[in-house]
Amino acid sequence: MFRDPARKSYAFNLITRKYQERLYWHIRKLVISHDDSDDLVQNTLVKAWESLDGFREESQLFTWLYRVATNEALTFLRKKRTKFFLPLVDVEAQLSNSLESDAYFNGDDMQLKLQKAVLRLPEKQRLVFNMKYFEEMKYEEISQVLGTSVGALKASYHHAVEKVEKFLKED
Amino acid sequence: MLKDDLNKNPFRVPEDYFDVLPMTVQQRCIVASKARQARSAIKPQWALATGFGAVALGVASVFSFMNTNSDTVPRIVNNAEYDLSNPYTRLSSKANNYIGNVVKNANSFSITNVGMHSPSLHDRDMGDAIINQLAIENLSIDDILSAGF
């Protein structure tokens, strides 16, 4: 279907409509800002368009899209860190501060606290926590996206939950 | 502590965002495709130009290397470059003449002692001939040595 130029555009439009929201929210929870998420989700989908010919199975495409979206978001955060010579903690602190002034955040105090707690997690644990807790993905799916074993993901999620609960109690 | 209702999405997006996004992405895909086509069209020409550039650079390097080396090796002095105002070339010229004369004199001296020079030259060694010629040419040994002979 993707090899036929006439149908490729139509097929891609369907793919965009099907996955755009999931990809957007996945990125948004990592980079927080709507504008940055908008850029990154567009980059992800343009990359998918350029590599569409190589895909045959839908499941493969979904996993690949998620992986590209994750890499785009993490690369963005790393660039931000390098650009402003900030350590990891400061970038996350910056994101945490931006939450309060974000016009597109309408969570209550508890949700704000939870988001701030998640932002204090290490990169990998934050990814696993977001995908498991917020996006309710199965460990097998997360494993395919991140290329990590299910056992390691369970351990990461367990540590992440412990830390988040500890942060919430502290605050 | 982490209740299930806490995992509700607290973020919002601008109104109609997800309706507009596919069109925005489609626009960007068209631009990306055109850029890709332009890149692939330029690619062979670019590769050719790069190849020619590399060859030209190689040839230029070889010529540059040859010229550099030729400057380090003394060139044969032609008439135009034979500048007698230069002390070195002037002295070299004198020394060349001197050696030429010594050789000419030695060659012209026959075994029968009949020659244009004194017969006593036959009994002297070449050292004497050299000293004599130095006197004729009004040159000192130091002049000869400093001229690189």
Side-chain angles (χ1 to χ4, degrees):
Chain A
M1 188 175 188
F2 300 144
R3 291 177 192 279
D4 180 0
R7 297 175 74 190
K8 183 181 172 182
S9 184
Y10 174 73
F12 183 71
N13 201 282
L14 291 179
I15 289 167
T16 305
R17 289 183 188 280
K18 185 171 181 180
Y19 295 120
Q20 60 176 0
E21 286 197 38
R22 286 187 76 176
L23 292 174
Y24 172 85
W25 291 121
H26 177 62
I27 293 170
R28 177 78 186 267
K29 286 189 183 76
L30 290 169
V31 302
I32 304 300
S33 151
H34 163 71
D35 292 334
D36 295 335
S37 308
D38 182 32
D39 283 342
L40 295 173
V41 77
Q42 285 183 32
N43 290 347
T44 303
L45 289 166
V46 170
K47 279 187 180 176
W49 165 260
E50 287 179 332
S51 315
L52 214 54
D53 300 343
F55 292 105
R56 288 181 186 83
E57 296 170 36
E58 198 186 336
S59 61
Q60 190 191 357
L61 177 66
F62 167 75
T63 307
W64 186 83
L65 280 173
Y66 241 79
R67 199 178 298 152
V68 175
T70 307
N71 288 338
E72 285 283 324
L74 294 181
T75 306
F76 170 80
L77 291 175
R78 282 171 197 154
K79 274 185 187 167
K80 203 171 181 179
R81 215 172 290 152
T82 318
K83 191 176 172 185
F84 299 107
F85 300 103
L86 292 171
L88 177 68
V89 188
D90 287 356
V91 173
E92 313 311 356
Q94 205 181 42
L95 293 178
S96 185
N97 290 335
S98 71
L99 264 176
E100 288 172 46
S101 54
D102 192 343
Y104 295 114
F105 183 84
N106 63 350
D108 56 23
D109 285 348
M110 196 59 191
Q111 281 171 325
L112 181 65
K113 272 184 188 177
L114 175 61
Q115 287 300 326
K116 285 184 172 182
V118 174
L119 282 170
R120 290 164 74 177
L121 290 173
E123 197 174 75
K124 188 73 180 277
Q125 285 181 19
R126 190 150 76 95
L127 263 173
V128 177
F129 186 85
N130 280 342
M131 291 166 99
K132 183 70 191 156
Y133 185 72
F134 290 111
E135 298 168 41
E136 297 177 336
M137 285 173 75
K138 290 174 185 167
Y139 281 118
E140 287 72 19
E141 286 176 321
I142 303 173
S143 169
Q144 282 178 339
V145 172
L146 300 182
T148 313
S149 70
V150 171
L153 289 174
K154 283 180 179 173
S156 279
Y157 183 67
H158 176 75
H159 288 303
V161 170
E162 275 187 345
K163 282 181 190 172
V164 167
E165 285 182 341
K166 194 180 166 194
F167 292 147
L168 289 176
K169 279 175 194 166
E170 277 175 9
D171 289 337
Chain B
M1 189 82 190
L2 272 174
K3 295 167 193 168
D4 284 345
D5 60 337
L6 257 182
N7 74 347
K8 279 187 286 183
N9 188 0
F11 297 100
R12 286 190 302 119
V13 288
E15 209 174 333
D16 300 333
Y17 172 71
F18 288 116
D19 295 331
V20 177
L21 186 60
M23 283 177 274
T24 315
V25 170
Q26 204 165 13
Q27 296 274 322
R28 279 195 60 183
C29 288
I30 292 167
V31 173
S33 294
K34 282 180 181 170
R36 203 180 183 186
Q37 278 174 354
R39 271 202 306 273
S40 53
I42 288 172
K43 223 173 186 177
Q45 292 164 16
W46 179 246
L48 197 67
T50 311
F52 272 120
V55 169
L57 193 68
V59 170
S61 302
V62 168
F63 271 106
S64 166
F65 179 73
M66 283 167 67
N67 284 339
T68 311
N69 278 357
S70 67
D71 285 344
T72 59
V73 175
R75 285 174 291 129
I76 296 168
V77 179
N78 56 34
N79 287 337
E81 290 172 316
Y82 202 86
D83 182 11
L84 289 176
S85 62
N86 181 338
Y88 173 79
T89 52
R90 194 171 61 239
L91 202 53
S92 300
S93 162
K94 279 188 173 183
N96 280 335
N97 286 340
Y98 151 73
I99 291 166
N101 287 337
V102 169
V103 172
K104 194 168 70 186
N105 290 342
N107 288 344
S108 65
F109 191 78
S110 74
I111 201 159
T112 55
N113 287 346
V114 178
M116 58 186 289
H117 292 284
S118 166
S120 62
L121 185 63
H122 178 66
D123 300 319
R124 293 178 198 158
D125 58 13
M126 192 58 86
D128 292 337
I130 290 169
I131 291 163
N132 276 346
Q133 198 60 41
L134 282 174
I136 292 163
E137 298 284 343
N138 196 23
L139 283 169
S140 70
I141 289 291
D142 288 339
D143 289 336
I144 300 293
L145 291 175
S146 65
F149 286 88

